[in-house]
Amino acid sequence: MRAIRRSSKLATAMEARAFGGTQQRSWSHRSVLHPGDWWVMIGAVLLVAIALLAAWAAGTINIVFLH
């Protein structure tokens, strides 16, 4: 009985999303990184690098695989 209810709900959900419709789905598109996105990623990497260098300079970092 549970399988019949689930299949009915699945069929309703597929119809609501136009599954099997003749038109191509329009929500899928290629993501493009803009220059601002690159600057944020570069800034994040630099921030982590500065934090690690500061911890190393202060002697508060313990990198296990270097010992």
Side-chain angles (χ1 to χ4, degrees), residues 36-52:
D37 301 325
W38 288 105
W39 285 114
V40 168
M41 287 191 291
I42 291 169
V45 169
L46 286 175
L47 183 65
V48 169
I50 290 169
L52 287 172

Side-chain angles (χ1 to χ4, degrees), residues 5-55:
R5 277 190 229 138
R6 283 190 72 187
S7 66
S8 177
K9 286 183 181 182
L10 177 63
T12 303
M14 290 171 70
E15 286 178 22
R17 293 185 178 102
F19 185 80
T22 57
Q23 291 182 339
Q24 195 171 12
R25 298 176 71 103
S26 61
W27 55 267
S28 178
H29 58 87
R30 182 175 298 272
S31 288
V32 178
L33 289 176
H34 299 286
D37 301 325
W38 288 105
W39 285 114
V40 168
M41 287 191 291
I42 291 169
V45 169
L46 286 175
L47 183 65
V48 169
I50 290 169
L52 287 172
L53 285 172

Side-chain angles (χ1 to χ4, degrees), residues 53-65:
L53 285 172
W56 176 72
T60 59
I61 193 167
N62 184 10
I63 302 177
V64 176
F65 59 85

